[in-house]
Amino acid sequence: MASTPPPLSSFAIPAVTRLPSATTSRNRSSITSSFSFGPQPMISSFAAGDISTSSIPRPLALDPNRSMLPSSPRASPRRQRKLKESSSRHPLANDTMDVFRDLDAEQDFEDEDEDAEWGVVDRMRLWRHDALMQHLYETAAFWGDKILSWTNDPNDAFWLAQTYFMTHQYSRAERLLTRPFPTKSQAAEPPYLNGLDHSMAGSSAGRPFSLDNKGKGKETQPQLEPSSRLPMGPAGLIKLPDALQENLSRLVDMSVACRYLAAQCQVRQGNWSDALEILGEANPFRHTGRSGASVPNVDGGIKVEASMCHLRGILMLKLNRGDQAKLCFTEALTLDVKCYDAFSQLISGEMMTPEEEWEFVQGLAYREQTKEDADFIQLIYTSRLRKYRHAEEQTLTRRRLVEDFKLPDNPDVLYSFADALFTQLRWADCFVITSRILDLVAFHDATMPLHIACMYHLSYLHSKLFVLAHELVEREPENPISWYAVGVYYLSSNKWSQARQYFSKTSLMDPRFGPAWIAFAHTFALEGEHDHAVTAYSTCARMFVGSHLPLLFVGMEQIVLSNHSLADEALNAANAACDSDPLLMNELGVMAFTHGDFQRAADLFQRSLDLAQVTQSSQKSWTTTYLNLGTCYRKLKDYEKAKTNYCRVLEIEPQHPQGLGFIGMVYHHLEDTDQAIVKYHEALSVDPINGHLIELLNLALESNSACGSWEKMYPGGEEAFREMMASLKNKLRQHPRRAAEANPNDDPSRSEDSMNVS
């Protein structure tokens, strides 16, 4: 399969003009004029380079709308040209070389100068790039250091810092990015326009360049006289006299990419505040007039500005500033819809409610930024949203991804199917899809929590869950999902304390892993520690403000604790965040039943069943809701509807003890005591020590023995018995005194009304 060819431009960070200081009147060429690592000097220089208002050309390295494609290591830094075929020549010497394409597919380019030879710097740059592609980072760092000693080129410094970053030498990379470099190169450097103009891309900064008699550019061998490096003091402070500080600037002030890499180094070292100072508290390009969703990316890559906003959001999360983190991630995705990391943080971190997610994702500027790929990006993002709403649109999205874009076996598309099944509580069907995903890829971060949860709900898979947890810990010990699987296994074995230990470890490894927080709180709830469960659920609600589940569970625990006012508050807050969850409607119905509003409770239970769409979900999961609905109708004395719902429970689960007992009560109310006794006996056969059922059975038997067999008790049946009692009552009324005299030992407190059995 042919891949995208590398850019045609020379891979160098262009030199920038002298950077004016934003905080002092002293010339910015003096590097000690302002030691702040804030981005304002870079922004001021970028604004001062507006061609429409200034004669100074705007430096492209400061453009936030570009990507890092001009500095890609996929090809050598030389411009493309046709070379003589030679078995001894390294493949990367061909600028058109691509690791994914066939040699037969190589394109022919115009001949330039077949006699031109590569200099030592070019050869070492080739070695450096080849070492990076082969993950020989020590080799890349070794040759890159020699290149930087010869050239003192900011682009070579950038790639050496990248090499240090890849080898986890973050402090070393940071010091390199914050050291001074000359703002004027020895030779004039051509403008690099990200593929728009390549006519002058044959030379790099500081490289001698001459013209032969044919008018073609030809590189001459550089003089290998080492240029003295500038000394570095403690913490990056520069120890130079003022006379030597002219025309010097730090890499973080010369390039947006360098500033972004320096912030990444600070993040890896755990210096959140220092990294935020480098990036700025807010997007510094926001009010420059050249930033926004409508400003196109100049080279087709991902805007560095969007990447900086995403990193700023990560730092806000580290500093426990969740609201500002949400704004940063939304800004990053708005600036560039291709920034999937920002999308993932918003969706997986549940920073928005389901309706906010839908409106935000559907409103992004897809066509303005990627006209050709707009439909695909919008569809693939839509498929990752939560499935509580817009079921028809979600179904159409998945169908288009499968049929129009030919992605039937893509793990992310299959995950969308699995997520929809999981939302419908169809554990077995969801497990089939997740198993297919894990057959295609060894590990899929989004799928693993669903896969583990399905194995928890399906009891016959608990043994496989044990095996899976051991395999994950052995293969991925640094992944928090591995220890989450261990905790879920202990949870399925009713070992609450051990499960809580591993859920706690998971949340420490990844504080933004929501399932671990929820499961951690579940261990308290299942153990009967409801107060601790409420505290854990509340902590989860503060961290994942867009999720209604923690608030729902808080409400359920408050119901158990009989704190009805707090339960109402939590459930109403959950309903405000998501009013389409059938489980939430069931709990709201429980609270309405508790308050005695049986009609509203019945309406909520019915809405819960409508939302569940039980014809497409696991019906067994909704037997409790049918039971609750039947109980509401029984309280409303609508026995036929109550009987219908209880029968529905028994159709789904014939041995349901509560269903058998409640339908027996309905028959008892309808005075069908014989059928009631049968149902009570069936319920007791399932739950033999249920005291309520035993009491109901005794009442039914007493009622049946007292008035259930009139033919046996009195000849002529019930009517003859009542006629006899009526005649006896009349006789007592006519001769009350005679009856009293005839029975002087009778209890005088008994009256004639005591004989009325009608």
Side-chain angles (χ1 to χ4, degrees), residues 209-222:
F209 191 84
S210 64
L211 295 177
D212 60 8
N213 54 3
K214 298 181 181 179
K216 296 181 180 180
K218 183 175 181 181
E219 183 186 16
T220 61
Q221 186 77 3

Side-chain angles (χ1 to χ4, degrees), residues 227-241:
S227 59
S228 60
R229 291 196 182 186
L230 298 174
M232 298 288 293
L237 294 175
I238 310 303
K239 294 183 178 180
L240 284 178

Side-chain angles (χ1 to χ4, degrees), residues 424-437:
Q424 297 172 359
L425 309 184
R426 297 170 61 177
W427 319 121
D429 296 336
C430 180
F431 180 75
V432 173
I433 302 296
T434 57
S435 299
R436 173 59 179 166
I437 295 173

Side-chain angles (χ1 to χ4, degrees), residues 533-552:
V534 169
T535 302
Y537 287 133
S538 300
T539 302
C540 188
R542 287 193 299 271
M543 296 184 62
F544 304 95
V545 294
S547 176
H548 70 287
L549 292 178
L551 294 172
L552 169 61

Side-chain angles (χ1 to χ4, degrees), residues 374-384 397 400-401 405:
D375 289 341
F376 174 72
I377 297 176
Q378 184 174 7
L379 289 173
I380 199 66
Y381 280 177
T382 301
S383 68
R384 295 297 297 267
T397 295
R400 287 197 59 191
L401 288 171
F405 293 95

